[in-house]
Amino acid sequence: MGGVSSVSATETIRVSEIFGPTIQGEGVLIGQPTVFVRTGGCDYRCSWCDSLHAVESRFRDSWIAMSLDDIWGQIEALSGGRPLTLSLSGGNPAIQPLGSLIERAHQHGYRAALETQGSIARDWFSDLDVLVLSPKPPSSGMEFNGDALLDCVRSAGGGPETVLKFVIFDEADYQFATQVAQLLPKLPVFLQPGNHTPPPPEESDAAIDMSGILDRMHWLVERVMQDRWFEAKILPQLHVLLWGNLRGV
Ligand SMILES: C[S@@+](CC[C@H](N)C(=O)[O-])C[C@H]1O[C@@H](n2cnc3c(N)ncnc32)[C@H](O)[C@@H]1O
Ligand SMILES: Nc1nc2[nH]cc(C(=O)O)c2c(=O)[nH]1
Ligand code: SF4
Ligand SMILES: [Mg+2]
């Protein structure tokens, strides 16, 4: 036990932003009050990424290597010390050593959820309460690595509630989602329409193409019903409907 604490005390976590409390805007936890820790750095470069400020190295200078105590201090301040669900996102949060943060959250009665594309598996996934795996469809321009995704599911084991969440822009993305879902038939599936207008990251609230998002959402509902895919859930990004591309919400 002493060993684990001494290691975690010296490790730092690269953080892009910590914000909240707000509502979780996507997927299985939609609507839940949450504080976000967004880590800096990603092994992917999705063509439509809405969080480039946590991905591209030109924003590196804005990322801070923080100690566990400093991160925890901010989470407690934002949540007023009242336990809620911590949402770990990024970038790819699996790059960072988050095991000790998850442990700290649990010690204080908080829950921990993590969103990742499923490219890097960690043994601490099994300590999460919720693991959201969001494999990237063809429109992202990224190559799918099925073995890495299966490794993530294996690492999580029976620990967290593990779910799949797909961003869908078009028919090819939809077909990809159906195929990956068939690989992992036990996992709940969430589908969300893509948002085509990532803001220049320097700006906080660039206009968004709301009618495009809603058109894709309508199409997606029809498409899923046509297939009688009644296990899938279709949700918009609630925070985008409410605040557009504003950062920190
Ligand atoms: C910014 S990513 C960070 C976590 C991780 N890298 C991942 O992609 O899962 C968080 C979620 O936002 C989704 N997302 C990113 N850009 C989007 C966009 N333009 N429209 C809809 N969802 C998007 C991702 O697919 C992912 O499910
Ligand atoms: N409210 C809110 N919900 C979210 N769900 C996933 C987000 C993310 O960027 O990872 C996100 C976000 O940035 N804000
Ligand atoms: S994997 Fe996630 S954070 Fe990385 S580029 Fe894609 S959407 Fe953005
Ligand atoms: Mg987001």
Side-chain angles (χ1 to χ4, degrees):
M1 193 177 147
V4 171
S5 316
S6 56
V7 170
S8 61
T10 55
E11 260 170 354
T12 57
I13 294 169
R14 205 164 56 188
V15 174
S16 162
E17 54 186 353
I18 301 179
F19 62 90
T22 181
I23 49 169
Q24 171 54 251
E26 301 178 16
V28 62
L29 298 177
I30 195 165
Q32 264 200 30
T34 188
V35 165
F36 277 87
V37 175
R38 191 185 301 284
T39 61
C42 190
D43 47 323
Y44 278 21
R45 293 289 183 278
C46 300
S47 61
W48 36 250
C49 178
D50 64 6
S51 302
L52 285 177
H53 60 289
V55 170
E56 294 194 338
S57 41
R58 66 192 159 113
F59 299 103
R60 240 171 195 283
D61 291 350
S62 67
W63 305 340
I64 302 176
M66 292 179 72
S67 70
L68 176 62
D69 285 342
D70 286 349
I71 294 173
W72 188 252
Q74 288 205 21
I75 292 166
E76 282 210 308
L78 290 170
S79 58
R82 309 245 322 196
L84 47 49
T85 299
L86 194 58
S87 291
L88 306 170
S89 187
N92 187 355
I95 292 174
Q96 301 299 316
L98 296 180
S100 53
L101 177 57
I102 295 163
E103 189 183 340
R104 178 74 64 93
H106 287 158
Q107 283 164 358
H108 291 262
Y110 289 58
R111 286 160 46 88
L114 180 133
E115 309 226 357
T116 181
Q117 60 265 40
S119 56
I120 299 173
R122 296 291 182 209
D123 53 7
W124 47 259
F125 281 0
S126 62
D127 298 326
L128 289 162
D129 298 282
V130 178
L131 174 62
V132 179
L133 295 172
S134 185
K136 295 300 172 262
S139 66
S140 69
M142 295 295 108
E143 201 162 312
F144 175 58
N145 181 341
D147 292 335
L149 183 68
L150 294 177
D151 272 350
C152 288
V153 175
R154 262 193 295 273
S155 297
E161 177 181 13
T162 300
V163 305
L164 291 169
K165 184 174 70 180
F166 296 97
V167 173
I168 310 285
F169 278 94
D170 54 26
E171 176 68 21
D173 289 354
Y174 175 75
Q175 289 303 330
F176 171 81
T178 62
Q179 283 158 20
V180 176
Q182 278 167 31
L183 279 178
L184 292 161
K186 293 198 184 120
L187 301 190
V189 173
F190 294 81
L191 306 175
Q192 77 187 23
N195 165 14
H196 249 314
T197 53
E202 297 81 2
E203 288 176 25
S204 58
D205 59 354
I208 74 162
D209 173 23
M210 187 64 80
S211 71
I213 293 170
L214 294 181
D215 283 352
R216 280 188 286 281
M217 176 93 189
H218 278 123
W219 171 81
L220 191 52
V221 171
E222 273 175 34
R223 191 67 190 81
V224 172
M225 297 310 124
Q226 191 186 6
D227 274 359
R228 303 281 186 269
W229 189 7
F230 296 144
E231 295 78 23
K233 294 195 180 70
I234 307 152
L235 290 171
Q237 291 174 289
L238 188 50
H239 56 110
V240 171
L241 298 189
L242 290 171
W243 298 295
N245 286 320
L246 195 66
R247 213 193 278 178
V249 290

